[in-house]
Amino acid sequence: LTEISTAIVKLKNLKDLSLVNCSSLSKFPDEIKKLKKLKTMSLYYCYKIPKETIADLKKQLPNCKISPVDRV
């Protein structure tokens, strides 16, 4: 998994998203900000997600607790 599909916005009631150990994940669609009910996103060991992307996600989803990306 290198990126999340834009189809994720169809999951309007999604509250928790766990992407633990997705070591190839590096992109999220801009549409992810439409997931207004998302409360937690776990990104542990998703090494390829740039710090800037994490910062953008936190801005786009201010009510969502986003776990840190542990780096080696």
Side-chain angles (χ1 to χ4, degrees):
L1 180 68
T2 57
E3 60 185 89
I4 302 297
S5 169
T6 57
I8 196 168
V9 298
K10 293 179 182 179
L11 303 172
K12 295 178 183 188
N13 292 314
L14 184 67
K15 293 180 183 177
D16 301 298
L17 181 60
S18 179
L19 298 166
V20 176
N21 287 323
C22 291
S23 58
S24 297
L25 181 64
S26 61
K27 291 189 203 176
F28 288 85
D30 289 334
E31 293 85 359
I32 200 159
K33 63 187 168 200
K34 295 179 182 177
L35 297 176
K36 301 295 183 190
K37 294 185 180 183
L38 191 62
K39 297 295 177 199
T40 61
M41 186 184 306
S42 298
L43 300 175
Y44 291 101
Y45 308 107
C46 297
Y47 304 120
K48 291 190 178 180
I49 300 174
K51 291 179 182 179
E52 297 81 15
T53 300
I54 300 296
D56 288 344
L57 285 170
K58 289 181 177 182
K59 288 178 190 173
Q60 292 172 348
L61 300 165
N63 296 320
C64 181
K65 180 181 177 190
I66 300 173
S67 68
V69 175
D70 294 329
R71 306 225 184 257
V72 284

